[in-house]
Amino acid sequence: MEISLAPLNCGCTNGKVCELTTRACVDPARISGIITDACTGGPLIAKITVSGISGCTDSGPKGIWEIGGLIPGGPQTLAAGRGGYQPFSTQVTLVSGFNALEQIKLTPIGGCGAVPP
């Protein structure tokens, strides 16, 4: 038996996205946060992915990231990573508009005694 999937099209316009359960056009969600080294507290440049949409922290002194255009609801998987550090993953439920995530602290592979890359 073959199954073919088609994208969900609610006919949304004006920057709205299709909410998955009600199929209503709603404002998109955006989420932001900070990523730091769990040992030093210093900011990290790292990659973030939420439900298949990826971004990176800024290269400034704070490790801030933001991803927009997301469909509200959940749970959705949020993952963060950087070479030489243990990966991070959690489940989030997003609302339309702005969502803030608590600080993500990545631990170097081998623990705090290890020399990060």
Side-chain angles (χ1 to χ4, degrees), residues 3-109:
I3 298 174
S4 91
L5 301 175
L8 186 62
N9 183 357
C10 296
C12 300
T13 60
N14 298 328
K16 303 276 186 182
V17 295
C18 187
E19 199 277 328
L20 297 177
T21 55
T22 65
R23 301 187 85 183
C25 294
V26 298
D27 289 327
R30 64 185 174 108
I31 186 170
S32 70
I34 296 172
I35 298 181
T36 60
D37 182 299
C39 305
T40 68
L44 291 175
I45 296 174
K47 183 175 181 179
I48 301 287
T49 301
V50 180
S51 294
I53 299 176
S54 297
C56 293
T57 58
D58 65 9
S59 58
K62 295 187 179 182
I64 297 172
W65 60 272
E66 183 174 324
I67 297 176
L70 298 165
I71 296 173
Q76 299 183 50
T77 300
L78 180 145
R82 174 187 166 112
Y85 286 80
Q86 297 173 19
F88 172 87
S89 180
T90 190
Q91 297 291 307
V92 294
T93 298
L94 304 175
V95 297
S96 290
F98 181 74
N99 296 261
L101 187 68
E102 291 186 25
Q103 183 176 0
I104 296 171
K105 298 177 181 180
L106 298 181
T107 303
I109 293 173

